[in-house]
Amino acid sequence: MPVITLDGHRLEVPAGKTIIEAAYENGLQIPHFCWHPALSVAGNCRMCLVEVGLPRRRPDGSLELDAEGQPLIAFLPKLQIACATPVADGMVVNTKSERAVQAQQAVMEFLLINHPLDCPICDEAGQCKLQEYAFRYSRRVSRFQEEKVHKPKRIIWGPGVIFDAERCILCSRCIRFANEIAKQPVLTFVERNDRVTIELYPGTEFDSPYSMNVIELCPVGALTSRDFRFQARVWEMSFTDSICPGCARGCNIRIGVHHNEILRLEPRRNLHVNQYWMCDEGRLTQYGFVNHNRVNGPQLRRTATGQLEPTTWEEAYEAVAAALRRYKPTEIAIIGSGRLTNEDAYAVVKFARTVLRTPHLDFPRRDDPYFGDDFLRCRDRNPNTVGVLEIGLKPAAGGLSLAELPEQVRYGSVRCLYIVEEDPAALSPELQQALEDAEMVIVHASNYSSTTAHAHIVLATTTYAELEGTYTNIQRRVQLLRPAVATKERPRFQGMAMSRWDKFGAWNDRWAHGPQRDCRQTWQHLREIARRLGTTWKWSRSEEVFQELAHEIPSFAGMTYELLEAYGGIVLGKGRSPDPVPPLRYESHVLKP
Amino acid sequence: MNIQQNTEAQRMSFWERLYLPEIVRGLSITFRQMFKPKFTRQYPEERWEPLGSYRGYPVLVLDEDGERCVACGLCSRVCPALAIEVQAGETEREKERYPVKFEINMLRCIYCGFCEEVCPEEAIVMSKGYELVFEDREAAIFSKEQLLVPIEQLQDRLEFLRRYK
Ligand code: SF4
Ligand code: SF4
Ligand code: SF4
Ligand code: SF4
Ligand code: FES
């Protein structure tokens, strides 16, 4: 393997890599704008200019040495771009030499000549590459006295993206993304020199299902999200690493929370799963339900009024336990969900097998052939089908499947439906009829739905953003979710991501907290109900449920939350020998609050 | 333990114990002051008008074409007391953003003037206002409408900032 020296660090780099790849694979940085590890190399921003030297050789190929026996280095007369120069054995690269620094300062000055002073109103500010480099690599003063070139602002590119031509630094990342990843080549440079800008081909729109990834990809604030625009400054949000529940892919995401409401989701790097991207559908649809229409606290349907009315947890659990005691095991059917975390699914299965002893246990599949594609989106819209099946959430011997259930409810052989985080009434008219026919309907629900409309008891349950747990994606990779939104039970304590306002806001601030719902995770409900039915489960945290699960179910053996976090998820069965994390640890944006 | 010996009263001389000379001395000062010029201000009938350099409570500048604030949130970020809350919204105006909500909790504000210093639009300035009285906590949270002050009334401060900031 070639050995190079980068700013005095000796690196062993596989042949064929570029200098910038060598740097990022070894935890070093080289300033750059247009290079991105997932895109082709354009080499047009010139920010990555570095000084490159090669050892001097005699005609016979041997190295020329200086007085101390070190090889003599001949530096190339011109600086080279690190993003397009492949490494060679013995190469010496300087990114901090005088010539390199001068080049960086010159490029920054050039970029800033026509860049507007928009930072205070720019959504990118706080995580902008240009801002950051202006501090690190520019002279910090402008010598430009003339009027800046003005270009159009607020150009709509498509349903998700707005373009501001003044802020664009013409790195072409968005064009390459459209061509290479979104496979929708509709963008192009037009005009020349300081008038250059980007336009859509006439009559086209940038509406690919992945279009909004260019928002994070753009190193500056030229591309903004029509969904998010101006809702908060980045430093006002708390960002938590989690997993998108939109389909079986389980894209790694970051949840941006402000005043305890989710304002945006953005993709997070996981080279095994989603690389650097997520789909627009996930980004736009997977947070609204966390903020709106929530069940807050346990609800009981009073016979007098026929309405769901708030009650205490104590009373609600007693009511559930009393209702379950009334029926024979085979008269109770549990409808689980592919949206349950592994922990909750484990609790449901254990509850069905050991507490209720009912064989009727199933969950609805969510198959959407129009959603699937050959990139990230999967036709299975449940985030945890694989995990739920692995754990055994399926009809036991003699148990009814979901399809057979409505008939048996009609005949009265199943009289009580126990529904966990699912909305069967919205799935088919037969199931809706079954809900109407059933004598007793108990629901764990995070949101009001057509199912809660039929429920006799509703236990307020967390959404994916409020719990700690794991999903198993379509590649059988178990991935970790962390709580991003505080609940009444789990306030924003240390260890949960906290913005300045979350950290220092007082209890009497109007804004510091936002609505905190009184809801619990499914395994917590089941633990309480099981205790009232005579079985004690000693779980106090999701992690303990996961420990038990990893102990009981062989394919999860060896997994812990720490390992899941460290390896970016672990494939089922590989708990003891996880796939290594790819060496390239690249973040396009780093928030510096 | 109570001290019984060598107390203050035992140490005093006869004249000191009589107090009369001290009373006379005190009264003489009082009478002398009665004929000197007065410095007391008859507040609130007589109010004090501060100079432009005075840092009263912060207010928002209302320009000819409306509020200047672009809801950048920098004042909120810099405020050491976390007194300011800003929520931005989008407008058709050239500057794209405006504050949908702008609140300052006057019980929190410590009159440091950081918000004024950081504002890129000269949209928030320290006024001459020093009379802040509330009957409850909620009333101490000033809304955008309460904070907006026409630019004519803020000329002294703007002039001061232009010269010395
Ligand atoms: S793109 Fe960056 S440098 Fe330009 S205005 Fe936005 S935050 Fe400022
Ligand atoms: S819009 Fe952003 S990503 Fe596209 S060329 Fe301009 S700076 Fe680069
Ligand atoms: S003067 Fe200081 S304390 Fe008062 S609002 Fe401004 S920044 Fe906050
Ligand atoms: S710093 Fe100025 S422009 Fe920005 S939000 Fe505060 S008052 Fe408005
Ligand atoms: S990053 Fe190398 S030229 Fe842009």
Side-chain angles (χ1 to χ4, degrees), chain A residues 139-150:
Chain A
R139 259 188 292 256
R140 303 198 188 180
V141 284
S142 170
R143 292 182 287 172
F144 188 71
Q145 311 274 332
E146 293 77 9
E147 173 83 6
K148 295 190 182 222
V149 173
H150 288 291

mmCIF file with all atom_site columns, all heavy atoms in Angstrom, chain A residues 139-150:
data_model
loop_
_atom_site.group_PDB
_atom_site.id
_atom_site.type_symbol
_atom_site.label_atom_id
_atom_site.label_alt_id
_atom_site.label_comp_id
_atom_site.label_asym_id
_atom_site.label_entity_id
_atom_site.label_seq_id
_atom_site.pdbx_PDB_ins_code
_atom_site.Cartn_x
_atom_site.Cartn_y
_atom_site.Cartn_z
_atom_site.occupancy
_atom_site.B_iso_or_equiv
_atom_site.pdbx_formal_charge
_atom_site.auth_seq_id
_atom_site.auth_comp_id
_atom_site.auth_asym_id
_atom_site.auth_atom_id
_atom_site.pdbx_PDB_model_num
ATOM 1   N N   . ARG A 1 139 ? -9.191  35.617 5.121   1.00 0.00 ? 139 ARG A N   1
ATOM 2   C CA  . ARG A 1 139 ? -8.498  36.726 5.783   1.00 0.00 ? 139 ARG A CA  1
ATOM 3   C C   . ARG A 1 139 ? -9.461  37.529 6.658   1.00 0.00 ? 139 ARG A C   1
ATOM 4   O O   . ARG A 1 139 ? -9.061  38.437 7.340   1.00 0.00 ? 139 ARG A O   1
ATOM 5   C CB  . ARG A 1 139 ? -7.867  37.630 4.736   1.00 0.00 ? 139 ARG A CB  1
ATOM 6   C CG  . ARG A 1 139 ? -6.374  37.387 4.578   1.00 0.00 ? 139 ARG A CG  1
ATOM 7   C CD  . ARG A 1 139 ? -5.786  38.445 3.688   1.00 0.00 ? 139 ARG A CD  1
ATOM 8   N NE  . ARG A 1 139 ? -6.281  38.264 2.334   1.00 0.00 ? 139 ARG A NE  1
ATOM 9   C CZ  . ARG A 1 139 ? -5.541  37.736 1.359   1.00 0.00 ? 139 ARG A CZ  1
ATOM 10  N NH1 . ARG A 1 139 ? -4.308  37.391 1.569   1.00 0.00 ? 139 ARG A NH1 1
ATOM 11  N NH2 . ARG A 1 139 ? -6.049  37.594 0.160   1.00 0.00 ? 139 ARG A NH2 1
ATOM 12  N N   . ARG A 1 140 ? -10.744 37.245 6.522   1.00 0.00 ? 140 ARG A N   1
ATOM 13  C CA  . ARG A 1 140 ? -11.800 37.832 7.360   1.00 0.00 ? 140 ARG A CA  1
ATOM 14  C C   . ARG A 1 140 ? -12.073 39.302 7.064   1.00 0.00 ? 140 ARG A C   1
ATOM 15  O O   . ARG A 1 140 ? -12.839 39.931 7.777   1.00 0.00 ? 140 ARG A O   1
ATOM 16  C CB  . ARG A 1 140 ? -11.493 37.703 8.845   1.00 0.00 ? 140 ARG A CB  1
ATOM 17  C CG  . ARG A 1 140 ? -11.285 36.262 9.241   1.00 0.00 ? 140 ARG A CG  1
ATOM 18  C CD  . ARG A 1 140 ? -11.414 36.141 10.703  1.00 0.00 ? 140 ARG A CD  1
ATOM 19  N NE  . ARG A 1 140 ? -11.035 34.807 11.126  1.00 0.00 ? 140 ARG A NE  1
ATOM 20  C CZ  . ARG A 1 140 ? -11.051 34.397 12.358  1.00 0.00 ? 140 ARG A CZ  1
ATOM 21  N NH1 . ARG A 1 140 ? -11.421 35.230 13.317  1.00 0.00 ? 140 ARG A NH1 1
ATOM 22  N NH2 . ARG A 1 140 ? -10.714 33.195 12.685  1.00 0.00 ? 140 ARG A NH2 1
ATOM 23  N N   . VAL A 1 141 ? -11.416 39.879 6.072   1.00 0.00 ? 141 VAL A N   1
ATOM 24  C CA  . VAL A 1 141 ? -11.784 41.238 5.684   1.00 0.00 ? 141 VAL A CA  1
ATOM 25  C C   . VAL A 1 141 ? -12.061 41.238 4.192   1.00 0.00 ? 141 VAL A C   1
ATOM 26  O O   . VAL A 1 141 ? -11.525 40.415 3.456   1.00 0.00 ? 141 VAL A O   1
ATOM 27  C CB  . VAL A 1 141 ? -10.669 42.263 5.980   1.00 0.00 ? 141 VAL A CB  1
ATOM 28  C CG1 . VAL A 1 141 ? -10.609 42.589 7.449   1.00 0.00 ? 141 VAL A CG1 1
ATOM 29  C CG2 . VAL A 1 141 ? -9.333  41.770 5.463   1.00 0.00 ? 141 VAL A CG2 1
ATOM 30  N N   . SER A 1 142 ? -12.924 42.140 3.777   1.00 0.00 ? 142 SER A N   1
ATOM 31  C CA  . SER A 1 142 ? -13.252 42.220 2.369   1.00 0.00 ? 142 SER A CA  1
ATOM 32  C C   . SER A 1 142 ? -12.563 43.432 1.765   1.00 0.00 ? 142 SER A C   1
ATOM 33  O O   . SER A 1 142 ? -12.561 44.509 2.343   1.00 0.00 ? 142 SER A O   1
ATOM 34  C CB  . SER A 1 142 ? -14.771 42.340 2.208   1.00 0.00 ? 142 SER A CB  1
ATOM 35  O OG  . SER A 1 142 ? -15.061 42.642 0.872   1.00 0.00 ? 142 SER A OG  1
ATOM 36  N N   . ARG A 1 143 ? -11.960 43.230 0.590   1.00 0.00 ? 143 ARG A N   1
ATOM 37  C CA  . ARG A 1 143 ? -11.349 44.376 -0.087  1.00 0.00 ? 143 ARG A CA  1
ATOM 38  C C   . ARG A 1 143 ? -12.243 44.849 -1.224  1.00 0.00 ? 143 ARG A C   1
ATOM 39  O O   . ARG A 1 143 ? -11.886 45.733 -1.976  1.00 0.00 ? 143 ARG A O   1
ATOM 40  C CB  . ARG A 1 143 ? -9.984  43.964 -0.656  1.00 0.00 ? 143 ARG A CB  1
ATOM 41  C CG  . ARG A 1 143 ? -8.967  43.678 0.424   1.00 0.00 ? 143 ARG A CG  1
ATOM 42  C CD  . ARG A 1 143 ? -7.635  43.319 -0.184  1.00 0.00 ? 143 ARG A CD  1
ATOM 43  N NE  . ARG A 1 143 ? -7.658  41.993 -0.778  1.00 0.00 ? 143 ARG A NE  1
ATOM 44  C CZ  . ARG A 1 143 ? -6.662  41.493 -1.509  1.00 0.00 ? 143 ARG A CZ  1
ATOM 45  N NH1 . ARG A 1 143 ? -5.599  42.215 -1.740  1.00 0.00 ? 143 ARG A NH1 1
ATOM 46  N NH2 . ARG A 1 143 ? -6.746  40.284 -2.009  1.00 0.00 ? 143 ARG A NH2 1
ATOM 47  N N   . PHE A 1 144 ? -13.401 44.218 -1.331  1.00 0.00 ? 144 PHE A N   1
ATOM 48  C CA  . PHE A 1 144 ? -14.277 44.482 -2.480  1.00 0.00 ? 144 PHE A CA  1
ATOM 49  C C   . PHE A 1 144 ? -15.164 45.686 -2.183  1.00 0.00 ? 144 PHE A C   1
ATOM 50  O O   . PHE A 1 144 ? -15.922 45.681 -1.217  1.00 0.00 ? 144 PHE A O   1
ATOM 51  C CB  . PHE A 1 144 ? -15.122 43.239 -2.730  1.00 0.00 ? 144 PHE A CB  1
ATOM 52  C CG  . PHE A 1 144 ? -15.930 43.279 -3.982  1.00 0.00 ? 144 PHE A CG  1
ATOM 53  C CD1 . PHE A 1 144 ? -15.299 43.182 -5.221  1.00 0.00 ? 144 PHE A CD1 1
ATOM 54  C CD2 . PHE A 1 144 ? -17.301 43.391 -3.946  1.00 0.00 ? 144 PHE A CD2 1
ATOM 55  C CE1 . PHE A 1 144 ? -16.042 43.196 -6.381  1.00 0.00 ? 144 PHE A CE1 1
ATOM 56  C CE2 . PHE A 1 144 ? -18.048 43.416 -5.105  1.00 0.00 ? 144 PHE A CE2 1
ATOM 57  C CZ  . PHE A 1 144 ? -17.414 43.309 -6.327  1.00 0.00 ? 144 PHE A CZ  1
ATOM 58  N N   . GLN A 1 145 ? -15.050 46.727 -2.983  1.00 0.00 ? 145 GLN A N   1
ATOM 59  C CA  . GLN A 1 145 ? -15.788 47.956 -2.723  1.00 0.00 ? 145 GLN A CA  1
ATOM 60  C C   . GLN A 1 145 ? -17.034 48.072 -3.598  1.00 0.00 ? 145 GLN A C   1
ATOM 61  O O   . GLN A 1 145 ? -17.935 48.821 -3.287  1.00 0.00 ? 145 GLN A O   1
ATOM 62  C CB  . GLN A 1 145 ? -14.906 49.179 -3.039  1.00 0.00 ? 145 GLN A CB  1
ATOM 63  C CG  . GLN A 1 145 ? -13.528 49.152 -2.436  1.00 0.00 ? 145 GLN A CG  1
ATOM 64  C CD  . GLN A 1 145 ? -13.525 49.698 -1.028  1.00 0.00 ? 145 GLN A CD  1
ATOM 65  O OE1 . GLN A 1 145 ? -14.357 50.527 -0.694  1.00 0.00 ? 145 GLN A OE1 1
ATOM 66  N NE2 . GLN A 1 145 ? -12.628 49.231 -0.193  1.00 0.00 ? 145 GLN A NE2 1
ATOM 67  N N   . GLU A 1 146 ? -17.044 47.360 -4.710  1.00 0.00 ? 146 GLU A N   1
ATOM 68  C CA  . GLU A 1 146 ? -18.082 47.575 -5.712  1.00 0.00 ? 146 GLU A CA  1
ATOM 69  C C   . GLU A 1 146 ? -19.387 46.892 -5.306  1.00 0.00 ? 146 GLU A C   1
ATOM 70  O O   . GLU A 1 146 ? -19.455 46.176 -4.329  1.00 0.00 ? 146 GLU A O   1
ATOM 71  C CB  . GLU A 1 146 ? -17.620 47.049 -7.078  1.00 0.00 ? 146 GLU A CB  1
ATOM 72  C CG  . GLU A 1 146 ? -16.463 47.811 -7.688  1.00 0.00 ? 146 GLU A CG  1
ATOM 73  C CD  . GLU A 1 146 ? -15.119 47.470 -7.057  1.00 0.00 ? 146 GLU A CD  1
ATOM 74  O OE1 . GLU A 1 146 ? -15.059 46.518 -6.256  1.00 0.00 ? 146 GLU A OE1 1
ATOM 75  O OE2 . GLU A 1 146 ? -14.140 48.176 -7.334  1.00 0.00 ? 146 GLU A OE2 1
ATOM 76  N N   . GLU A 1 147 ? -20.397 47.132 -6.125  1.00 0.00 ? 147 GLU A N   1
ATOM 77  C CA  . GLU A 1 147 ? -21.701 46.520 -5.904  1.00 0.00 ? 147 GLU A CA  1
ATOM 78  C C   . GLU A 1 147 ? -21.625 45.028 -6.214  1.00 0.00 ? 147 GLU A C   1
ATOM 79  O O   . GLU A 1 147 ? -21.064 44.614 -7.227  1.00 0.00 ? 147 GLU A O   1
ATOM 80  C CB  . GLU A 1 147 ? -22.703 47.234 -6.845  1.00 0.00 ? 147 GLU A CB  1
ATOM 81  C CG  . GLU A 1 147 ? -24.079 46.657 -6.910  1.00 0.00 ? 147 GLU A CG  1
ATOM 82  C CD  . GLU A 1 147 ? -24.975 47.134 -5.770  1.00 0.00 ? 147 GLU A CD  1
ATOM 83  O OE1 . GLU A 1 147 ? -24.541 47.999 -4.992  1.00 0.00 ? 147 GLU A OE1 1
ATOM 84  O OE2 . GLU A 1 147 ? -26.097 46.601 -5.666  1.00 0.00 ? 147 GLU A OE2 1
ATOM 85  N N   . LYS A 1 148 ? -22.208 44.214 -5.328  1.00 0.00 ? 148 LYS A N   1
ATOM 86  C CA  . LYS A 1 148 ? -22.208 42.769 -5.576  1.00 0.00 ? 148 LYS A CA  1
ATOM 87  C C   . LYS A 1 148 ? -23.149 42.434 -6.730  1.00 0.00 ? 148 LYS A C   1
ATOM 88  O O   . LYS A 1 148 ? -24.119 43.145 -6.967  1.00 0.00 ? 148 LYS A O   1
ATOM 89  C CB  . LYS A 1 148 ? -22.684 42.034 -4.319  1.00 0.00 ? 148 LYS A CB  1
ATOM 90  C CG  . LYS A 1 148 ? -21.725 42.199 -3.168  1.00 0.00 ? 148 LYS A CG  1
ATOM 91  C CD  . LYS A 1 148 ? -22.063 41.287 -2.023  1.00 0.00 ? 148 LYS A CD  1
ATOM 92  C CE  . LYS A 1 148 ? -21.077 41.555 -0.891  1.00 0.00 ? 148 LYS A CE  1
ATOM 93  N NZ  . LYS A 1 148 ? -20.593 40.373 -0.221  1.00 0.00 ? 148 LYS A NZ  1
ATOM 94  N N   . VAL A 1 149 ? -22.886 41.347 -7.405  1.00 0.00 ? 149 VAL A N   1
ATOM 95  C CA  . VAL A 1 149 ? -23.784 40.888 -8.468  1.00 0.00 ? 149 VAL A CA  1
ATOM 96  C C   . VAL A 1 149 ? -25.070 40.391 -7.826  1.00 0.00 ? 149 VAL A C   1
ATOM 97  O O   . VAL A 1 149 ? -25.027 39.636 -6.853  1.00 0.00 ? 149 VAL A O   1
ATOM 98  C CB  . VAL A 1 149 ? -23.138 39.753 -9.272  1.00 0.00 ? 149 VAL A CB  1
ATOM 99  C CG1 . VAL A 1 149 ? -24.127 39.176 -10.261 1.00 0.00 ? 149 VAL A CG1 1
ATOM 100 C CG2 . VAL A 1 149 ? -21.902 40.255 -9.989  1.00 0.00 ? 149 VAL A CG2 1
ATOM 101 N N   . HIS A 1 150 ? -26.203 40.838 -8.327  1.00 0.00 ? 150 HIS A N   1
ATOM 102 C CA  . HIS A 1 150 ? -27.469 40.350 -7.771  1.00 0.00 ? 150 HIS A CA  1
ATOM 103 C C   . HIS A 1 150 ? -28.079 39.308 -8.674  1.00 0.00 ? 150 HIS A C   1
ATOM 104 O O   . HIS A 1 150 ? -28.026 39.416 -9.899  1.00 0.00 ? 150 HIS A O   1
ATOM 105 C CB  . HIS A 1 150 ? -28.423 41.522 -7.569  1.00 0.00 ? 150 HIS A CB  1
ATOM 106 C CG  . HIS A 1 150 ? -27.992 42.370 -6.416  1.00 0.00 ? 150 HIS A CG  1
ATOM 107 N ND1 . HIS A 1 150 ? -28.053 41.929 -5.125  1.00 0.00 ? 150 HIS A ND1 1
ATOM 108 C CD2 . HIS A 1 150 ? -27.437 43.605 -6.377  1.00 0.00 ? 150 HIS A CD2 1
ATOM 109 C CE1 . HIS A 1 150 ? -27.569 42.861 -4.326  1.00 0.00 ? 150 HIS A CE1 1
ATOM 110 N NE2 . HIS A 1 150 ? -27.181 43.888 -5.058  1.00 0.00 ? 150 HIS A NE2 1
#
